[in-house]
Amino acid sequence: MKIFQSIQEFKSDKKTIITIGTFDGVHKGHQKVLSKLINEARECELESLLLTFDVHPRIILEKESEVQLLTTNCEKIKLLEEEGIDNLVIQKFDKQFAELPGRDFVQQVLVEKLNTKKVIIGYDHRFGKNRQCGIEDLILYGEEFGFEVEQISAKEIDEIKISSTRIRNAILEGRIGIANDYLGYHYFFSGVVVKGKQLGRTIGFPTANIQIDSIQKIVPKYGVYVVTGENGGEVYKGMMNIGVRPTVDGQNLSVEVHFFDFDQDVYGKEFKINILEFVREEKKFDSIEELKAQISRDKEFSLNYFETLS
């Protein structure tokens, strides 16, 4: 997959078949659209291309927007690479780009820069200044400039929207199994291991304190989860507590992962944490001894979970 950090960077002598969107999460609904894009590219001897943006457009267009994302740009790139598209164009979405009239967008971007032969797009897609243009306009521009427009059905688009909403809600509610089913992979985040208060060591459960890469990344419901951690090509089994650690009077969000059968210096290293299953909600215990007993039960649950996978 070739990656271009702007429309201006893109260069290809071949005609392209493109789709446009944020594709946050690259979930099963998105994967279906990308599969259609790739298959038609092969059949028509075109290059497949996804035009996406460096930030979610709502962040620029809506002043009070607090967009929470399933994937960071780096994560999205890796997922898209696995899908097998030929070209990924990541355009900076700012007020200047948002002000581009619809016809100018079609002529200057789709035709002159991206060499478009065909566009696969949702029936409800809006583009151009103030989102004035829709699918009917795009079809007319296609006739004028010589490219074809294929609509993704209302049913497929609704499925994508429903999936995205359900995934976000499921993660926020701790229903990680449902989220993973809609995603088609385990929900994950990445982050660097930073020094914490090292309380886990004092009670026999040393943890890696993960600083999540992006503040816009959706944080799962506070509680304990079965996880795996990836670093340097190795995969480690473990369990994670995400929350404020009320038993020790914690106040700030903390993400602590206890890896099983693991004793390495991991400070400063980056881990990808895959969330497999929800264990329990975060709870304030009356004593450290009660906390230790519960963590032991959490570990037993997690180890049993891994046993079911083997």
Side-chain angles (χ1 to χ4, degrees), residues 22-28 30-31 70-71 76 79 183 185:
T22 55
F23 281 71
D24 181 34
V26 196
H27 58 64
K28 283 182 178 178
H30 296 138
Q31 292 164 24
L70 296 168
T71 45
K76 185 164 69 172
L79 290 168
L183 285 167
Y185 57 86

Side-chain angles (χ1 to χ4, degrees), residues 18-23 33 37 49-53 97 105 109-110 114 119-122 125-127 138 152:
I18 83 166
T19 192
I20 306 167
T22 55
F23 281 71
V33 173
L37 183 79
L49 185 152
L50 169 61
L51 172 60
T52 191
F53 309 104
F97 186 81
F105 170 77
V109 175
L110 298 187
L114 301 184
V119 179
I120 298 179
I121 207 74
H125 182 74
R126 309 295 301 179
F127 64 97
L138 189 60
I152 303 169

Side-chain angles (χ1 to χ4, degrees), residues 58-99:
R58 279 174 49 200
I59 295 173
I60 304 300
L61 300 175
E62 301 173 16
K63 290 182 180 179
E64 303 299 321
S65 178
E66 294 183 2
V67 176
Q68 288 186 297
L69 300 175
L70 296 168
T71 45
T72 65
N73 279 341
C74 288
E75 292 167 353
K76 185 164 69 172
I77 287 169
K78 288 177 183 176
L79 290 168
L80 289 169
E81 201 158 22
E82 292 171 8
E83 292 303 309
I85 61 174
D86 296 316
N87 302 285
L88 175 64
V89 178
I90 307 170
Q91 172 61 27
K92 180 180 180 181
F93 194 94
D94 53 19
K95 289 184 178 178
Q96 182 180 349
F97 186 81
E99 289 290 305

Side-chain angles (χ1 to χ4, degrees), residues 3-4 27 53 57 85 104 141 162 164 183 201 256 292:
I3 303 169
F4 304 90
H27 58 64
F53 309 104
I85 61 174
D104 291 349
Y141 290 139
I162 291 169
S164 296
L183 285 167
R201 292 181 181 278
E256 299 176 296
K292 285 173 64 176

Side-chain angles (χ1 to χ4, degrees), residues 232-276:
E234 297 292 329
V235 179
Y236 306 97
K237 298 174 182 178
M239 61 184 187
M240 171 183 73
N241 183 83
I242 186 164
V244 294
R245 301 180 302 173
T247 304
V248 293
D249 298 322
Q251 295 181 340
N252 299 320
L253 173 66
S254 120
V255 180
E256 299 176 296
V257 180
H258 171 67
F259 292 118
F260 308 143
D261 302 319
F262 182 89
D263 185 20
Q264 295 181 29
D265 181 7
V266 293
Y267 290 125
K269 294 183 179 179
E270 180 152 355
F271 277 78
K272 176 187 174 188
I273 305 298
N274 306 293
I275 308 177
L276 278 60

